[in-house]
Amino acid sequence: GVNSIKESADNLPTGMCFSYENGLPLLVNRKMEELCNILTKKGLWNIHGFWQALREGRVADDVLVLGTSETPVFRLSDGRTWTFTQQRLLSGGNVIYQLLAVDTTELHRLGDQLRQDNNDLAAMNKRLLSYSDDLTAVTRDEEILKAKITIHDYLGQVLLASKRHLL
């Protein structure tokens, strides 16, 4: 019955809470209770109050706020990242609120890695552009030098020819 539902919910890796329309919890699993305690240092007595605190980023000092508003995201002191969502459901004419917390640690790690890789690529691209500019400058300088040598050689030949002509 109800106990087996609660037991099944407690074994889920996600945080889960269902409440009546007024915010009083109907079913809260162990993970959501634990997250609520870590985030607010209080028990989960009213889902609306908890959701409002999450949306506004009003959490414990040792928690890093990564997102607020419609999708609150928090990194806990253990390094894990949790993303919260709330949905309003209709069940047999009654309004029920569902609050879920999903461990998005790996997703955020990959996002951070992607940002880092993009920064590294941007820096490499900058170095390559700088190298390309240097190469262009060196090539230009070499071409100018070649042109000067060619002009110099040509003037030398002209001078020699003029000298021969004059003598």
Side-chain angles (χ1 to χ4, degrees):
V2 172
N3 280 349
S4 63
I5 292 172
K6 169 81 171 118
E7 204 175 299
S8 298
D10 278 342
N11 291 327
L12 291 172
T14 56
M16 183 171 61
C17 172
F18 292 93
S19 82
Y20 295 103
E21 190 168 12
N22 65 6
L24 287 177
L26 183 62
L27 172 79
V28 183
N29 76 345
R30 201 177 297 130
K31 182 52 78 178
M32 188 61 88
E33 284 174 1
E34 182 193 331
L35 289 169
C36 181
N37 279 316
I38 291 169
L39 290 165
T40 65
K41 307 293 185 211
K42 290 184 225 149
L44 182 48
W45 309 117
N46 186 296
I47 191 175
H48 299 320
F50 181 49
W51 178 243
Q52 201 54 41
L54 295 180
R55 287 195 55 189
E56 294 170 6
R58 286 187 283 111
V59 291
D61 293 339
D62 63 342
V63 174
L64 183 64
V65 179
L66 298 178
T68 54
S69 196
E70 291 309 306
T71 315
V73 184
F74 306 97
R75 182 167 292 142
L76 307 185
S77 58
D78 66 0
R80 306 219 57 82
T81 302
W82 290 88
T83 300
F84 290 78
T85 57
Q86 186 187 45
Q87 243 185 326
R88 188 173 180 269
L89 309 169
L90 283 172
S91 173
N94 298 315
V95 172
I96 290 177
Y97 285 90
Q98 168 190 287
L99 185 61
L100 294 177
V102 180
D103 184 339
T104 50
T105 307
E106 188 59 16
L107 192 65
H108 280 90
R109 190 193 65 72
L110 290 171
D112 291 345
Q113 183 64 54
L114 187 63
R115 266 189 295 285
Q116 186 55 56
D117 290 349
N118 282 338
N119 289 341
D120 292 349
L121 283 172
M124 189 189 296
N125 195 28
K126 206 171 171 181
R127 287 194 303 274
L128 284 172
L129 284 171
S130 172
Y131 176 72
S132 172
D133 289 346
D134 291 348
L135 202 60
T136 304
V138 167
T139 306
R140 188 184 56 238
D141 291 348
E142 280 179 358
E143 286 170 356
I144 290 170
L145 186 61
K146 276 186 201 156
K148 283 180 177 174
I149 291 169
T150 305
I151 291 167
H152 188 267
D153 288 350
Y154 176 71
L155 284 175
Q157 288 168 0
V158 166
L159 281 173
L160 275 175
S162 303
K163 204 171 169 185
R164 268 193 305 254
H165 213 56
L166 290 169
L167 300 171

